[in-house]
Amino acid sequence: MSTVRKDLLEKIDRLELSPRNRAWRAAMKAAGWRVSPDRERWTVKSWKETEGEDLEIRRAKLLACILDNLTIAIQPYDEIVGRPTPWVIGCQTSFDVCGDYIPGIWNDSGDFAATLDASVHIDAEGLEILRESARLFRVKTMPEMTYKAWEALVGSWEKDAEAAKLKDPSLDSAITGQSTSVLHWDKILKVGLRGYIEQCRQHIEAARTAMETDIRKIYFWEASIICLEAVIRHANRYADLAESLAAASTESEEREHYLRIAATCRRVPEHPASSLREALQSMQFCNLAKMLENPIQNNAHWGRGDQYLYPYFIKDIDSGVPLEDEASLLADLIGRWGTQTFVSSGSQKESHQINFGINNVMVGGMGADGKDRSNELSYLFLHLVSLLHLSSPTVGLRWNSQTPEWLMNKAIRTNLATKGGIPLFENDDAVTASFVRDGIPYEEAVEWCGLGCVYPTVPSRSEHYGAEGVAAFNLAGILHMTLHNGRDINGKQTGLATGEGRDYKDFESLYAAFLTQHRYLCHRVLWLGAVARDMGHEYLRLPLLSILGIDASMDLGQDLMFPHPDYSLFGISDRAIIDVADSLTALKKLVFESGALTMEQIMDALDSNFAGAEGERIRRLCMNQPKYGNDDPEADSLVRRISQDSAAIIHSFDNSPFPQHIISREGLAWHYYGGLGAGALPNGRKALEPLNDGSLSPMRGMDTKGPTAVLRSACSSCFSDVAYASVLNQKFSSSVAASPDSVDKLIAYTNAFMSAGGTHIQYNLLDTEQLKEAKSNPGDYSDLIVRIGGFSAYFVQLSPEIQDDVIYRSEFEL
């Protein structure tokens, strides 16, 4: 990497959004979002026509039918073209993948829930198209058939555990291996889809020559060709449309604009990209097709965009392409991917709170040569994100000991502009070392990027985090079961009968019972996930995702729905460690050491949700016990103990022939979802309230010793010994923006945490009073962005419980 061009950084600092970018942003804000029945129309047609054919081929022809017939449009402000619907904001649905997953479509009003607090309307004709697809695919999809298999093994246990929020996600989230991860952008841009097609044909010919007996390989390569050719035809449909718009235009500048779009769409994604414009347009068409293959997973992850796009960017700059033009193109795709919507399943509404696909872009970070690879494009990504002022994408800065000061400064100033935790900071050194520790070669590990809001993944492997119904389990819910003889929040005997809370005589017996419940739930969830992993390919194939996802699919001739031990990674998140640790610390101090309360008194207070004067007295006693986040050795040591014991339980599960599960403790709005699975806790939290945000954040309002004490507690937890990333949220007042000194202090604060072994930190730079005002007068704060757990969202779109959670987090000064 050559020395960064400081003059180019200065030019980037002076950039504003282009007129087209501003026109798009205004149209997007005014448009609202809609659901289209268009994909379901062509899905039903194709599925009926291909009955009796091989599943891989059927799925390929289904996608081709969609791409060949979907209604398309080019908006006047578009730099990059291609959307899932003709509208500025719109989405398709996924009945062929998820089954009958949207209960509201059977409501004749045409209104159904999109998020916890928002609904969407579809007209009568569109509603009937959705219903026809739901009827056609009902009880035939991967989620529904997997639940049948689970029921044969454990009865209603799995659904009881989901209903009690003890684990997530539910299968109707339709997460599959690699579906939420990054495509192989570097190869796609260098080879082009025609190159992929030729490779598939070579494999088919070689297999025939060798008299290959596994026909599934032939079907996979043939299906891949069908999909790739369809993506190319889809791009040419846009070229045709652009040419027709150019022919109809009476203005030379407008005509040239449409002809430039047409020429670009004729070249990519079929051929290798030769400029930033072509690279971004190629990415949009490939990601759009991937999303149309499985619309409920419409994440559009960039991965290390500042690395694989840099050669195109700097070549354009050196060739005289104006920086303003490059920025306008990049802003177009950042904005488009940051506003993709979807209709989610019920559990995702609670764990995500939002209806846009989380997409992630990483900037900075080390290269295979052991040197930091931050560049001018890293800087431009940050600058454009601050100008667009959107809640997505999730931007992650890969911090390492070599991260340049100029990039850290830009990152903090971007955070000041966005307010809500954009960008986040992840420890590049720690994450890479974790992958290497688990057997991933350094040259692969160093290319890690973010999946969703936090989770680190290696693009060269198929990532299964969230797939097969395995993403997170709820330690607070497990503690609830431990105190109620294995009964969950709904009164079901989901856990083991380890004893009633009133009967525990000493702390170690209570803790041992907690670990027994933990192991039982964890190993059952992972076992059932393995069952789902082994049967999913019978009901679903994703040939386009597979061929563009990882190289191994091409060489193996194998859909990603057939996991491979050498190329698959599996992850899990053990959540609510802080809630459990604070709760157990309170019981240890109040009951088993001081005798200030009995377990009978504690359980009466918990079961009544701290009702009455006595309940409130006990709650205050519980809240006044040592809490994590205050540099208290006793409180922090129990966090460390639970972290280590939980990891040992996870790693004791035999996942062979696949690798053991990676542990990453992330964010989302999971603490709202998880809170619905736990009654009142001995840390003083009331029943069903959100748990602690992130995974390493203190109990809201209980970190009273200042921000440095929080960092000491976080580092003493030693989460980095077992977890790839652990989310720490902090809230500082807007006074941080008052002077350059404050920026320098926040940089130093971040550097100190990461240097001490912290893996992830992010900042809300907002005043508590401003948040209260926004809750009372949402119309005045429609653009206010806040960091929730691992992602950011518009404050006014959140549930009241999560709004209060953000409001009452401790606010610090620097």
Side-chain angles (χ1 to χ4, degrees), residues 387-398:
L387 292 178
L388 287 166
H389 200 79
L390 302 172
S391 63
S392 182
T394 293
V395 182
L397 188 146
R398 286 180 36 162

Side-chain angles (χ1 to χ4, degrees), residues 175-185 188 286-287 290-291 294 297-304 337 358-360 435 447-452 455-467 545 548-550 560 567 569:
I175 299 173
T176 69
Q178 200 69 8
S179 68
T180 60
S181 196
V182 64
L183 296 181
H184 194 169
W185 293 125
I188 292 169
C286 291
N287 183 73
K290 173 241 180 186
M291 186 270 289
N294 179 8
Q297 289 305 324
N298 67 343
N299 301 282
H301 291 309
W302 293 81
R304 302 189 71 183
W337 284 10
I358 300 175
N359 68 102
N360 189 306
F435 278 116
E447 297 300 332
W448 71 270
C449 59
L451 182 162
Y455 187 93
T457 187
V458 177
S460 54
R461 309 290 174 107
S462 174
E463 180 56 66
H464 284 251
Y465 178 64
L545 172 67
L548 297 182
I550 61 172
L560 287 173
Y567 302 104
L569 296 177

Side-chain angles (χ1 to χ4, degrees), residues 701-737:
M702 292 293 102
D703 43 343
T704 59
K705 299 294 182 63
T708 303
V710 175
L711 296 198
R712 292 196 184 102
S713 286
C715 290
S716 71
S717 73
C718 296
F719 272 25
S720 59
D721 291 354
V722 294
Y724 281 51
S726 302
V727 175
L728 173 60
N729 278 305
Q730 291 202 280
K731 186 170 76 173
F732 289 97
S733 73
S734 60
S735 64
V736 171

Side-chain angles (χ1 to χ4, degrees), residues 728-767:
L728 173 60
N729 278 305
Q730 291 202 280
K731 186 170 76 173
F732 289 97
S733 73
S734 60
S735 64
V736 171
S739 70
D741 287 347
S742 294
V743 172
D744 292 340
K745 288 179 182 178
L746 198 50
I747 292 172
Y749 183 80
T750 307
N751 290 340
F753 177 59
M754 293 300 196
S755 298
T759 57
H760 181 119
I761 196 166
Q762 52 203 14
Y763 307 112
N764 274 315
L765 304 179
L766 295 158
D767 295 325

Side-chain angles (χ1 to χ4, degrees), residues 608-624:
S608 71
N609 200 21
F610 299 111
E614 178 64 3
E616 183 58 25
R617 181 185 77 85
I618 292 174
R619 180 170 178 261
R620 288 294 166 189
L621 283 173
C622 289
M623 294 182 74
N624 288 333

Side-chain angles (χ1 to χ4, degrees), residues 68-69 77 228 301 326 333 403 414 425 502 506 566 584 633 747 753-754 775:
D68 287 343
N69 293 284
Y77 38 74
L228 295 167
H301 291 309
E326 299 284 276
L333 198 58
T403 299
T414 300
F425 300 87
R502 292 170 172 80
D506 61 84
D566 295 339
L584 290 177
I747 292 172
F753 177 59
M754 293 300 196
K775 184 180 179 183

